[in-house]
Amino acid sequence: HDDRNLSKSIKIEQMTVAVDNTDVNAASQNEEDANAIDTQREVPAPEVVSENEEPTYNTTSSENFTIPASAVEPAPTSVICRFLPHGLYSVIPALFSTMAWFACISKDGCDYARVTGPIVADIANSPNIPFIDAGFTHYREPMLNPENGEWVMDFSLPCEEYNADIIQIDGVWTFAKITAFLSAVFGGGGALFIWFSSCFVFTKKTWRWAGYELLAATVLLALTYSWFATSICHGNDGQDKCTMHYGARADLLACVLWAVSTLCIFCKYPREMIRSTEASNSVEQPSTEVEMSNLSDEHEII
């Protein structure tokens, strides 16, 4: 009887140990399954992007893609005006060209040259007037000062138009009028254009275009002096004479100033002056990888 009881006790203990081993194996299996799931949900290692390599958008099945730092904080692309981006040098040709343009337009239209000779009596319809001030389209007659008996100009009087029956407007005269007009247009446009370099950044090609405009103004204004080859200055067997007056001298000054401005533009291109804050912002930042997992709604930025 005692032997039977002992064998039953041994069987019961063996069954208990077997049950315990089964629970332990089940728990171990559950733990391994959980670790496998966590391993699948781990975030993959970020891709290393070389500094010389342009970052690209790489989309995978787990919705991983690479975003450059500039896309996270985009730099402004609009044109911004700032004070003297090329330095003080850009002001030098702008000042010279502006002064030249003011000198060019300071004429009143009938003070380009002083004409003497027999042609004066025909134009003024008076044999006593010794000279007139002539322009491209008008002229002005002097007035006799009764106090000292000298002929003087009264600039308060308006200019008079030429009599087409007396004055021949030939091709040279017309050419001089056209070049004078075009020089004022190109010179004024170039002066205005070069002033924009004191506010906006000019490329070297744009900077040169301003020089081409001023060069054209200089050449055209120099060609205006062909007016002195017209018949009003060489008629009556060479007795008619023309000398430079205020208008011609003002154009000469404008030619010199525009030429100096053109040399300043062609001889040197002032590069953009970058401030310290802009230089620090221009340093490239590493790429940023954003990972959006299908298993979670959270977004992680690495």
Side-chain angles (χ1 to χ4, degrees):
H1 182 74
D2 292 335
D3 292 337
R4 289 180 180 178
N5 292 335
L6 180 60
S7 62
K8 289 181 179 180
S9 299
I10 291 172
K11 290 180 178 180
I12 291 173
E13 289 179 359
Q14 290 177 352
M15 292 175 63
T16 303
V17 171
V19 172
D20 293 338
N21 291 335
T22 303
D23 294 338
V24 171
N25 293 334
S28 299
Q29 185 65 33
N30 293 336
E31 185 176 355
E32 290 177 0
D33 294 341
N35 291 335
I37 293 174
D38 293 337
T39 303
Q40 294 177 359
R41 297 179 61 182
E42 285 181 1
V43 178
E47 297 180 1
V48 178
V49 181
S50 175
E51 294 181 357
N52 299 328
E53 183 180 355
E54 295 183 358
T56 56
Y57 293 90
N58 301 324
T59 304
T60 62
S61 59
S62 60
E63 299 185 9
N64 296 334
F65 55 92
T66 303
I67 300 178
S70 59
V72 179
E73 295 181 359
T77 57
S78 59
V79 178
I80 299 176
C81 176
R82 58 188 178 91
F83 183 66
L84 295 178
H86 294 281
L88 289 174
Y89 185 83
S90 61
V91 181
I92 297 175
L95 285 176
F96 281 135
S97 59
T98 303
M99 289 188 294
W101 187 68
F102 279 125
C104 183
I105 65 173
S106 64
K107 309 182 293 289
D108 63 357
C110 54
D111 56 356
Y112 190 76
R114 179 153 291 184
V115 181
T116 57
I119 190 69
V120 174
D122 297 335
I123 296 175
N125 198 20
S126 174
N128 298 324
I129 297 178
F131 62 88
I132 59 170
D133 285 351
F136 295 143
T137 57
H138 297 77
Y139 72 95
R140 180 182 284 120
E141 299 177 4
M143 303 287 294
L144 180 63
N145 188 353
E147 296 179 359
N148 52 18
E150 295 181 357
W151 293 89
V152 294
M153 285 291 177
D154 187 1
F155 294 100
S156 61
L157 298 177
C159 300
E160 301 180 33
E161 291 186 5
Y162 290 109
N163 188 347
D165 297 332
I166 299 174
I167 299 299
Q168 252 185 335
I169 307 296
D170 55 8
V172 177
W173 195 311
T174 304
F175 175 76
K177 289 196 295 184
I178 293 174
T179 55
F181 172 75
L182 291 178
S183 65
V185 172
F186 280 101
L192 179 62
F193 185 69
I194 200 67
W195 271 113
F196 282 104
S197 65
S198 63
C199 183
F200 299 101
V201 177
F202 275 23
T203 62
K204 189 173 183 179
K205 190 177 295 184
T206 306
W207 178 262
R208 292 284 181 109
W209 270 114
Y212 295 144
E213 282 194 73
L214 298 180
L215 178 62
T218 305
V219 173
L220 289 170
L221 193 58
L223 293 175
T224 304
Y225 286 93
S226 61
W227 181 86
F228 287 97
T230 57
S231 59
I232 193 175
C233 300
H234 301 280
N236 294 317
D237 297 330
Q239 298 183 44
D240 300 331
K241 302 290 182 180
C242 296
T243 57
M244 295 176 62
H245 200 45
Y246 173 81
R249 294 169 184 169
D251 284 352
L252 180 61
L253 176 62
C255 277
V256 172
L257 292 175
W258 272 330
V260 172
S261 181
T262 303
L263 288 176
C264 291
I265 292 174
F266 286 147
C267 291
K268 181 179 179 180
Y269 166 67
R271 299 189 179 276
E272 178 186 1
M273 299 179 63
I274 302 177
R275 301 175 183 176
S276 58
T277 55
E278 295 177 355
S280 61
N281 292 334
S282 63
V283 177
E284 294 184 359
Q285 300 179 0
S287 302
T288 304
E289 182 174 325
V290 177
E291 188 267 336
M292 295 187 300
S293 176
N294 288 333
L295 302 178
S296 175
D297 294 334
E298 297 178 356
H299 305 290
E300 298 179 7
I301 299 178
I302 302 175

